Amino acid sequence: MGSSERTNCFVDVLEKVMGSVCGKTKDEPRVHQKKILGKVVLVKKNVLDVTDVGASVLDRVHEIFGKDITFSFISATHCDPENRNKGKLGKEARLVDWVTKLTSLEAEDSATFELQVEWDESMGVPGAFIVKNHHFSQFYLKSVTLENVHEHGQVHFDCNSWVYPAHRYSYDRIFFSNKIYLPCETPEPLRWYRDQELINLRGNGKGALREWDRVYDYAYYNDLGSPERGEDFARPVLGGTKEYPYPRRGRTGRRPNKKDPKTESRLPLLSLDIYVPRDERFSSVKLSDFIAYALKSVGQVIGPEIRDLFDKTRNEFDTFEDVLRIYDNSKEVDLPDAAKLLKHRKSIPWELVRELARSDGERFLKFPMPEVIQEDKTAWRTDEEFGREMLAGVNPVIIRSLKEFPTKSNLDRQVYGNQDSTIKREHIEEFMNGLTVDEAIRCGKLYILDHHDALMLYLRRINTTNTKTYATRTVLLLQDDGTLKPLAIELSLPHVEGDQYGAISEVFTPCDEGVEGALWQLAKAYAAVNDSGYHQLISHFLNTHAVIEPFLIATHRQLSVMHPINKLLHPHFRDTMYINALARQILINAGGVLENTVFPSKYAMEMSSAVYKSWNFNDQALPQDLINRGMAVKAESKPHGLHLMIQDYPYAVDGLEIWSAIESWVREYCSIYYPTDDNVRGDSELQSWWTEVRTVGHGDLKDEPWWPKMHTREELVQSCTIIIWIASALHAAVNFGQYPFAGYLPNRPTVSRRFMPKKGTPEFAELEKNPDGVFFKTITAQFQTLLGISLIEILSRHSSDEIYLGQRDSAHWTGDKKALEAFERFASTLMEVEEKILQRNKDSCLKNRTGPVKMDYMLLFPNTSGASQGGGLLTKGIPNSISI
C-alpha cells in the first residue's frame, strides 16, 4: 500500500475518533456529489443460441416491481473506519433501460446500458464495485467503464463473468478495476475484498457443486468408471497413490458410486451439464459450434453404415476406393451459390443453424477431404512421408537421436527380462547409403521412434482385448537432403512363458514389391498404431490437457484477479476445465469413444498414469525437450542457443521461434512487477500458488527434486513460459493436425486387430493374393474408423470465437501502459514469425516442410494477425488455451 493510502485511512480513522469524543473538530467540508456516467456491457441469458423468452419476461417483471440490478462502487483510496477499514462504499446505482432495451438472438451479441453513479469526489478513485442481481435469471457481465472520474479520467473494469441472482450467493459479487497490484502493494481499502474473494473461490470442500457456485477445488480422476455396469466398466482411481499417480482435476462433489464408494457417480452419458465454475464453460458461440460439429460428425457416420448393411463384408473397408468414398462419392444436392448462401446465412440468428449451413465448401453430412490426401491419394504410403510425419506430423515430439546400438531398454530386467532391441547392423546397413552404423551415430544421422518400453508394460493385457498389436521400434537414417529414411521396424511381444523371459521380436526392413513389400506396409501400420495411441493418450491428453488443469485451479484459488501472474496466465486457461470435463464424460471414460477407437482399449488411462510417473515439469520447456531427445545441443552462438541436429525439423524450427517470443514477453512482463528476486520470494500469493501446484495439484510428484523453488525471477519466468507454451503452442502442435493427417485413417490407424501373418498360414496366403484386403482386415474396422475420424474432426476444428496467441479478448485487460506496450511487441514478434513460416514453406530445399503429400507445415502458424478467422478445419493457428 502506498503512503498516500495509509495517510488517507489514518486521517479517516482519526477524524472519526476525534469527532465522537470532542464533537465537530473542524469545519466539515460540503460533500461534492458528482454524477459519473458509466457504461455497462453485458449479455442477457441465452439458452444455447435462442434467447430464453421466459427468463426475459420474468426479468422485465422483476424490473417493474423494483427488483433490478444495482452497482455499488468502492473507494480504492479511503477507508471506512466503521466497516473494518474496508473501502468506503458509494450509493447504489441502478441499471436503467433494461425493460425497453431489446437484444438480438445472436448468441454473441451484447447490450450496452447507461449507469449514473453518484460519487463523492472526496472518496477518491473507485477501485472495485459490488453488483447485485435481483432479477430472475443470470447475465454475463463483460465490462463496466466509468468516465471522467475526478482527477483520474476513465476507470475500466474488465469483468467477463456470469452474475446469478443475489440469493444464489452467500457473499457479495465483487469486481476490481484493471489495475495490477502485488499483494503487499494492494491499497488498504481493497485488501479485505481481495482476500475474501480468494476465500470464496476456494469453497469449503464439501457437498455437490451447482452451476452458480464459483468454487475451484481438486479431485482425483475417480469419475471414469461405471462399476455398477459390471467388472468390464470398473476403472482404477487415478491420482493419490504411487501405483496410479495422476494430475488432479476439478472437483464436482457428486455423490459416490453405490457399487464402489471410491468412484464418483456419473451423469447420463450425453449430458453436457457437468459442474465446472460457470465462467469456465463454453461461451454460447463455442457451445453452438461444438454441438453443430458433433451433429455433423455423427451424421457423417450414417451414410457409410447404411451402405454397409448391403455389403458382403460387413464392418470392413475392402479397398482404398471404399475409404475414399466416404469423402467424395457424393450424390446429394449441390449447395447454392456461395455468395447467395452467405447472404442468407448471415440473416439466420441461431449460431447452431448457421454452422450447419456453412458456406465454405464443406458438405453437410460428408467428411471433408483430409489434407494428407488432397493433392495425392497415395503419397502417404511412401517411406519419405512416413519419416517426415515424425518431424512435421501430429506427433513430432517423440523421435530421438540414437546414441547407442542396439538400443537398450530401461525396463527392470528382474521383472521383464531382456527387452533390448534385436535390430542388428546386418538388418540396416545395406539401406544406409554407404554409411556404417558407427559412422552414422558419430555424425548424428541415426534416429529412433521408440514406443517399446511404454507399451510393453501393458501389452499382454491389451492383447487380451480385441486389439492384437506389438510394441514397436523404428530406426531411421537422416539423409543428405534432410529427409528421414526408415531402415527397420521391430515388432515385439511379451514372451509366451512369462514377462521374466523378455520379449519375442521380429525385424522388418524396407521393400517396395511383392509379399515383402506388403509385410513392410503392415510393419509401418503397426508402428503407426503405436504412435497414434501414444499420441492421443500421452502427447495430447496427459501432457497438455491433464497437466495444465492443476495450474488453472491453483491460479484461481491463490492468485487474485489483481495479481500480475493471474493477468498473465488467465487467457491461457480459457475453456480448459470444461473441455476436460467433457472428455471425462464421453471420451476417456469406461466404454467411451477413446477406449473404442484407440488400441490400449480399457487400459488406456491406466497406461497414461504409468507414463506420468516420469513426467518432469522442467522437461516440458521446448529447448530442454529437444536436448533431452538428442534433437539439439547447446550452442550459444546459434539462434535460441541451440544447434538442431536436423536442420529441417519443422516442429522444432517453428516451435523455437514461438518459444522465444513467449519467453521474451514473459520476461519483459515479469520485470515490470518483480524488479528483484526478493519481490518473488516476498509475494505471499505467488508462494501459496506454487506450493499448491506442487503439493496438491501435482501432489503425487510433490517430492521430486526437479520442481523449481520459485525463489528467483528466472524461475518465475521459466515456469510461466512453460505453462503458456503447454497451453498454447504445444497443444496446437499435437491437436489441430489430427484430422488433416489422421482423418484418412489408413495413414494413422488407431487399432490393429490381427498379428503379422506368418509364412505357411492361410493369412499369409491371403496376403500374397490380396495385400490391400489383409491391410484393411488388420487395421481399424469400418465403424471404429468412422467413429474415430468423427471424433478427431471435432477436436481439430477451431471455434468461430477463437482467441489466438498474441491476442486478448479485451483491449483493456490491464490499465498498465508498460504491460500493454510489451504485449504489443509480443504480438508483433508473432506476426514476424508468421511471415518466416510462410517463407520457409516456399523453400523447395526444405523438403520436410511439405513432403510428398504437398502439405505445408502450418500447425505452429500463430494466426495472431487474424489472417484466418471464422473457425473450422484451418490446420493453422495457435489458440491461447487448450479449449478443444
Side-chain angles (χ1 to χ4, degrees):
M1 180 177 64
S3 59
S4 60
E5 285 91 353
R6 291 193 187 93
T7 302
N8 288 334
C9 286
F10 176 75
V11 170
D12 289 339
V13 173
L14 184 61
E15 287 185 0
K16 276 285 183 185
V17 172
M18 295 298 293
S20 62
V21 175
C22 307
K24 183 178 176 182
T25 58
K26 68 174 184 178
D27 289 337
E28 293 179 359
R30 188 170 65 180
V31 174
H32 296 285
Q33 292 286 352
K34 178 183 178 182
K35 287 212 171 184
I36 299 174
L37 183 62
K39 181 176 69 175
V40 177
V41 181
L42 57 81
V43 180
K44 294 183 179 181
K45 177 180 181 286
N46 289 320
V47 176
L48 193 57
D49 307 302
V50 183
T51 298
D52 184 351
V53 178
S56 181
V57 170
L58 286 171
D59 286 344
R60 283 174 164 78
V61 171
H62 278 63
E63 278 279 332
I64 292 170
F65 285 94
K67 295 184 177 181
D68 46 17
I69 298 170
T70 64
F71 295 79
S72 302
F73 289 85
I74 302 168
S75 172
T77 52
H78 288 76
C79 299
D80 184 352
E82 296 181 351
N83 191 20
R84 289 184 286 183
N85 273 348
K86 293 189 282 186
K88 286 187 175 181
L89 201 62
K91 290 185 178 181
E92 279 190 346
R94 284 169 168 75
L95 204 64
V96 295
D97 295 334
W98 184 279
V99 175
T100 59
K101 189 177 288 290
L102 299 177
T103 54
S104 78
L105 295 182
E106 294 279 0
E108 74 271 30
D109 272 7
S110 55
T112 301
F113 295 86
E114 285 191 0
L115 192 69
Q116 293 191 347
V117 182
E118 289 190 13
W119 187 253
D120 181 353
E121 292 181 355
S122 67
M123 290 172 61
V125 179
F129 67 82
I130 293 170
V131 59
K132 294 185 177 180
N133 176 12
H134 300 291
H135 282 183
F136 171 80
S137 58
Q138 65 269 29
F139 60 87
Y140 185 74
L141 184 60
K142 284 190 169 183
S143 65
V144 174
T145 306
L146 300 181
E147 302 289 351
N148 300 317
V149 176
H150 181 61
E151 295 184 348
H152 194 80
Q154 187 184 84
V155 177
H156 185 83
F157 301 81
D158 220 28
C159 306
N160 298 311
S161 180
W162 285 93
V163 178
Y164 277 77
H167 71 272
R168 296 296 189 189
Y169 302 115
S170 59
Y171 51 84
D172 290 331
R173 285 303 313 273
I174 189 168
F175 294 90
F176 298 94
S177 72
N178 61 353
K179 295 285 188 183
I180 294 177
Y181 301 104
L182 291 176
C184 63
E185 297 169 346
T186 308
E188 182 65 29
L190 300 180
R191 185 164 293 183
W192 183 89
Y193 294 105
R194 177 176 183 146
D195 294 341
Q196 191 61 40
E197 178 69 353
L198 288 174
I199 291 171
N200 295 336
L201 292 173
R202 291 173 199 144
N204 60 15
K206 300 176 182 178
L209 296 168
R210 295 160 295 185
E211 66 173 279
W212 51 81
D213 287 321
R214 303 169 55 241
V215 171
Y216 294 80
D217 204 354
Y218 301 94
Y220 302 133
Y221 274 67
N222 65 344
D223 59 344
L224 303 180
S226 300
E228 74 282 0
R229 296 173 60 188
E231 186 177 342
D232 282 348
F233 291 90
R235 297 292 180 270
V237 174
L238 303 185
T241 63
K242 288 185 177 180
E243 185 178 8
Y244 299 117
Y246 217 66
R248 303 299 184 259
R249 50 98 174 176
R251 185 177 79 86
T252 68
R254 294 197 301 265
R255 67 183 185 280
N257 186 284
K258 291 181 180 179
K259 184 75 177 289
D260 177 10
K262 292 182 179 179
T263 298
E264 186 173 272
S265 59
R266 292 182 52 78
L267 297 173
L269 180 62
L270 296 181
S271 174
L272 301 182
D273 193 25
I274 311 152
Y275 173 79
V276 295
R278 183 65 181 85
D279 294 344
E280 303 301 327
R281 291 174 71 97
F282 288 170
S283 68
S284 294
V285 174
K286 178 151 189 170
L287 186 59
S288 301
D289 283 350
F290 183 82
I291 293 176
Y293 295 157
L295 287 174
K296 287 171 65 176
S297 292
V298 171
Q300 288 158 175
V301 177
I302 295 172
E305 284 299 295
I306 291 175
R307 288 196 297 272
D308 186 56
L309 293 174
F310 306 97
D311 197 322
K312 62 182 179 181
T313 52
R314 295 286 304 278
N315 198 32
E316 295 286 356
F317 292 114
D318 299 315
T319 66
F320 289 102
E321 288 72 22
D322 279 354
V323 181
L324 292 175
R325 207 168 282 133
I326 70 174
Y327 308 108
D328 59 9
N329 185 29
S330 172
K331 294 183 180 179
E332 69 266 27
V333 178
D334 286 340
L335 291 173
D337 173 77
K340 293 179 181 177
L341 182 59
L342 183 60
K343 177 181 177 182
H344 291 297
R345 180 177 180 268
K346 286 183 175 178
S347 68
I348 301 173
W350 302 279
E351 282 295 316
L352 189 150
V353 180
R354 286 172 62 178
E355 175 53 39
L356 292 175
R358 290 181 71 94
S359 58
D360 57 4
E362 288 189 18
R363 291 182 181 275
F364 182 52
L365 301 186
K366 296 295 291 184
F367 285 111
M369 186 70 74
E371 197 169 346
V372 75
I373 55 169
Q374 282 181 8
E375 295 296 324
D376 188 318
K377 298 297 186 288
T378 61
W380 65 272
R381 298 198 84 176
T382 63
D383 287 356
E384 181 182 338
E385 180 62 22
F386 178 71
R388 183 188 84 95
E389 290 184 19
M390 299 177 197
L391 302 174
V394 72
N395 194 28
V397 296
I398 305 300
I399 188 172
R400 60 181 174 84
S401 175
L402 195 56
K403 301 295 187 184
E404 62 177 357
F405 191 89
T407 300
K408 289 184 169 53
S409 170
N410 291 318
L411 296 179
D412 187 345
R413 282 181 177 256
Q414 296 297 317
V415 178
Y416 295 100
N418 183 5
Q419 296 285 341
D420 294 346
S421 176
T422 61
I423 300 175
K424 297 187 168 39
R425 285 173 166 77
E426 50 266 33
H427 286 129
I428 64 175
E429 286 191 336
E430 65 174 291
F431 305 104
M432 292 180 59
N433 304 339
L435 287 174
T436 66
V437 167
D438 293 335
E439 288 170 342
I441 289 177
R442 192 161 53 247
C443 298
K445 289 184 175 292
L446 273 189
Y447 293 84
I448 187 168
L449 185 73
D450 190 350
H451 291 301
H452 179 96
D453 285 4
L455 269 61
M456 189 56 74
L457 295 172
Y458 283 86
L459 195 55
R460 190 183 299 277
R461 281 176 282 175
I462 289 170
N463 282 339
T464 63
T465 68
N466 292 329
T467 293
K468 299 294 178 282
T469 197
Y470 301 90
T472 67
R473 292 183 175 109
T474 304
V475 175
L476 307 100
L477 175 73
L478 176 63
Q479 302 189 103
D480 292 341
D481 64 358
T483 61
L484 286 175
K485 178 182 182 181
L487 301 175
I489 296 174
E490 179 186 65
L491 307 181
S492 300
L493 289 171
H495 200 284
V496 292
E497 295 184 14
D499 289 346
Q500 69 272 26
Y501 292 98
I504 298 174
S505 302
E506 190 171 3
V507 177
F508 296 85
T509 54
C511 186
D512 294 330
E513 299 176 350
V515 69
E516 295 301 322
L519 290 170
W520 175 242
Q521 291 297 333
L522 282 175
K524 289 196 294 183
Y526 288 117
V529 166
N530 274 198
D531 198 57
S532 294
Y534 194 92
H535 159 261
Q536 198 64 273
L537 294 169
I538 312 302
S539 304
H540 183 201
F541 187 79
L542 172 63
N543 285 346
T544 63
H545 286 258
V547 300
I548 213 69
E549 190 165 354
F551 293 95
L552 182 163
I553 297 171
T555 297
H556 284 282
R557 288 168 55 88
Q558 301 296 343
L559 299 178
S560 164
V561 294
M562 293 189 283
H563 196 285
I565 302 304
N566 184 306
K567 292 281 190 187
L568 173 69
L569 297 180
H570 186 264
H572 304 289
F573 298 144
R574 180 180 186 242
D575 294 337
T576 301
M577 279 192 82
Y578 191 55
I579 195 61
N580 284 2
L582 289 179
R584 299 194 310 274
Q585 176 68 5
I586 59 178
L587 297 184
I588 62 174
N589 59 300
V593 177
L594 201 69
E595 287 194 356
N596 280 297
T597 58
V598 177
F599 79 88
S601 188
K602 64 184 289 186
Y603 301 104
M605 292 301 293
E606 192 177 330
M607 192 178 87
S608 75
S609 167
V611 175
Y612 177 65
K613 292 177 182 179
S614 59
W615 184 79
N616 182 321
F617 176 72
N618 300 312
D619 290 347
Q620 309 313 302
L622 177 60
Q624 190 61 50
D625 169 58
L626 294 171
I627 291 170
N628 290 348
R629 290 190 284 122
M631 303 303 288
V633 294
K634 290 184 179 180
E636 295 301 325
S637 61
K638 297 280 187 177
H640 320 296
L642 292 178
H643 170 73
L644 288 176
M645 303 304 294
I646 301 178
Q647 293 296 299
D648 185 14
Y649 184 1
Y651 165 74
V653 173
D654 296 359
L656 284 170
E657 291 190 345
I658 301 296
W659 169 272
S660 294
I662 295 171
E663 185 181 40
S664 296
W665 148 240
V666 171
R667 189 178 304 282
E668 187 172 2
Y669 178 86
C670 289
S671 296
I672 298 171
Y673 307 101
Y674 299 93
T676 69
D677 292 344
D678 288 341
N679 297 114
V680 174
R681 288 190 290 270
D683 185 339
S684 57
E685 287 184 4
L686 183 72
Q687 295 303 320
S688 296
W689 169 69
W690 194 247
T691 297
E692 186 167 288
V693 164
R694 181 175 60 81
T695 63
V696 183
H698 283 280
D700 297 330
L701 303 179
K702 64 183 178 183
D703 296 323
E704 295 295 333
W706 43 255
W707 281 105
K709 298 186 183 303
M710 203 55 70
H711 287 171
T712 67
R713 188 171 65 184
E714 186 60 26
E715 286 178 321
L716 175 61
V717 168
Q718 287 302 308
S719 297
C720 290
T721 302
I722 291 171
I723 292 168
I724 295 172
W725 165 258
I726 293 172
S728 58
L730 179 59
H731 180 258
V734 299
N735 181 73
F736 291 104
Q738 291 186 86
Y739 192 82
F741 284 102
Y744 184 66
L745 213 71
N747 184 48
R748 285 187 66 80
T750 57
V751 171
S752 52
R753 297 174 288 152
R754 285 180 168 191
F755 290 123
M756 185 71 86
K758 300 292 185 184
K759 286 185 179 180
T761 64
E763 291 80 10
F764 195 87
E766 184 183 9
L767 180 69
E768 291 178 305
K769 294 178 183 178
N770 184 11
D772 287 353
V774 172
F775 181 87
F776 282 111
K777 287 181 181 179
T778 301
I779 67 167
T780 321
Q782 177 178 296
F783 181 72
Q784 284 177 299
T785 294
L786 296 172
L787 186 62
I789 62 178
S790 295
L791 169 64
I792 62 175
E793 184 192 0
I794 297 170
L795 299 182
S796 301
R797 286 182 178 271
H798 291 272
S799 69
S800 54
D801 66 346
E802 201 82 89
I803 302 172
Y804 294 100
L805 193 64
Q807 299 175 349
R808 289 269 180 158
D809 59 354
S810 169
H812 303 286
W813 61 274
T814 178
D816 192 323
K817 185 178 178 181
K818 289 183 179 179
L820 290 172
E821 290 173 348
F823 188 72
E824 286 181 10
R825 285 189 285 274
F826 174 49
S828 296
T829 300
L830 291 175
M831 286 187 273
E832 291 172 5
V833 172
E834 291 179 2
E835 289 299 319
K836 292 178 182 178
I837 289 173
L838 294 175
Q839 290 302 314
R840 282 195 287 268
N841 285 342
K842 294 177 182 177
D843 189 342
S844 60
C845 295
L846 301 176
K847 292 189 174 185
N848 295 325
R849 302 292 309 187
T850 56
V853 295
K854 299 179 176 63
M855 178 180 175
D856 287 351
Y857 187 74
M858 294 288 283
L859 291 174
L860 287 175
F861 183 88
N863 204 31
T864 309
S865 59
S868 297
Q869 296 288 3
L873 291 170
L874 301 180
T875 323
K876 62 181 176 181
I878 302 175
N880 269 326
S881 62
I882 300 167
S883 57
I884 192 66

